[in-house]
Amino acid sequence: MKLRYILVIIFLCVFLLLTYYISNNSTLDAKLTFSENSDQYTIKNLKEDNEKYNIDIYYPQTNYDVLNIKIKGCIQKIVEDFKNIISEESDKTYILEISFDDYEYENYISFAFNVFRQTGGAHPMNTTFTINYDIKNDVIIDITELTKLYENVLDTFYTISYDTLKENEKILKYGNEEMLKNGLEKKIINYQNFVFDKNHIILFFNPYDVAPYVAGEFIVRIPYDQLS
């Protein structure tokens, strides 16, 4: 009987040690996988909680290796950067949360990742980054590739974005012409966050991209028939 108790105690000790190790050495494949009513992906969840920070990330595990590598690489970079800025001296709890929305158009699938960070600053930060994948050709479609698919795409993006945003109430209230035009300048970096939906290319502009933080985020829809 005494031997049985000893074995139970040993088992509990090993279990607690393994639990502690896993909770402090999570990878993007750790924790819980959720089933989703989609033939394109399942949702995976990464959680890490301790006295210094809380991380809660949902991301898609797709049927495409190239896309999975891209998604995991981007999220891992965000997690690493987040952990690197955590101050050991701070008595605040840092927060990182990521969720996503999906889109489809012809042979493209797109994901817009919504990132919330609370890192001890004056205010939290909400940003969006996107990943687009061409199923037919098995490649990631970023803004550089998009400029190869559509001639004069940056000109079109600029014209429609400017005409749309210059009348936006928040930009009229909080922004200014110089910041708007600088943020919409015909540079690849200004239009790197986009997705393909059924009727448009949707552009995402994060806080500070085209207006001050208080104005928030903006989206602009570009009809496909406006692209050449």
Side-chain angles (χ1 to χ4, degrees):
M1 186 69 69
K2 185 178 293 185
L3 178 60
R4 180 181 298 175
Y5 287 136
I6 292 173
L7 291 174
V8 169
I9 292 172
I10 291 173
F11 174 81
L12 288 174
C13 289
V14 171
F15 176 79
L16 290 173
L17 286 172
L18 286 173
T19 301
Y20 175 82
Y21 178 81
I22 292 173
S23 66
N24 286 278
N25 294 274
S26 298
T27 69
L28 291 184
D29 290 320
K31 302 297 180 179
L32 190 60
T33 300
F34 297 86
S35 295
E36 178 70 19
N37 295 325
S38 170
D39 57 0
Q40 299 281 20
Y41 64 84
T42 57
I43 299 176
K44 304 199 78 176
N45 179 228
L46 168 65
K47 284 182 180 288
E48 289 189 47
D49 297 306
N50 57 45
E51 69 280 0
K52 299 303 297 183
Y53 60 81
N54 297 323
I55 295 176
D56 191 9
I57 296 173
Y58 292 87
Y59 68 96
Q61 176 76 45
T62 75
N63 302 321
Y64 312 104
D65 291 340
V66 169
L67 180 55
N68 290 336
I69 290 170
K70 180 67 174 180
I71 291 170
K72 290 183 179 181
C74 289
I75 292 178
Q76 189 64 57
K77 180 65 164 57
I78 291 173
V79 172
E80 290 172 357
D81 290 346
F82 171 77
K83 290 182 177 180
N84 286 337
I85 65 173
I86 293 174
S87 170
E88 294 297 330
E89 306 299 325
S90 175
D91 59 355
K92 298 180 180 180
T93 300
Y94 293 73
I95 299 172
L96 173 63
E97 297 175 349
I98 301 178
S99 59
F100 69 92
D101 300 301
D102 62 353
Y103 305 83
E104 292 185 38
Y105 172 68
E106 294 185 348
N107 56 294
Y108 301 117
I109 56 175
S110 300
F111 295 101
F113 294 87
N114 313 297
V115 184
F116 172 85
R117 300 178 183 88
Q118 176 59 270
T119 55
H123 49 68
M125 179 63 77
N126 289 283
T127 59
T128 298
F129 76 92
T130 63
I131 297 175
N132 302 280
Y133 176 69
D134 181 343
I135 297 173
K136 181 179 179 181
N137 296 300
D138 192 28
V139 294
I140 300 296
I141 303 296
D142 59 15
I143 184 59
T144 300
E145 291 299 316
L146 193 66
T147 61
K148 299 175 184 176
L149 295 174
Y150 296 104
E151 186 178 359
N152 299 323
V153 66
L154 293 182
D155 291 329
T156 302
F157 281 4
Y158 172 83
T159 300
I160 296 179
S161 295
Y162 179 74
D163 289 344
T164 301
L165 295 178
K166 71 178 181 180
E167 304 297 336
N168 185 279
E169 291 184 3
K170 290 185 177 180
I171 288 184
L172 291 173
K173 182 176 182 179
Y174 301 111
N176 59 74
E177 182 78 0
E178 181 181 5
M179 190 171 186
L180 178 60
K181 285 193 170 181
N182 286 341
L184 297 177
E185 192 174 353
K186 300 170 189 178
K187 295 180 178 179
I188 285 176
I189 192 173
N190 289 335
Y191 298 100
Q192 60 186 321
N193 291 312
F194 67 91
V195 295
F196 299 95
D197 85 344
K198 295 186 184 303
N199 301 304
H200 312 84
I201 289 180
I202 303 176
L203 304 176
F204 295 84
F205 297 98
N206 289 313
Y208 298 117
D209 282 352
V210 296
Y213 173 85
V214 66
E217 301 172 80
F218 298 92
I219 64 171
V220 174
R221 292 178 171 84
I222 311 294
Y224 289 114
D225 61 12
Q226 296 297 305
L227 299 170
S228 58

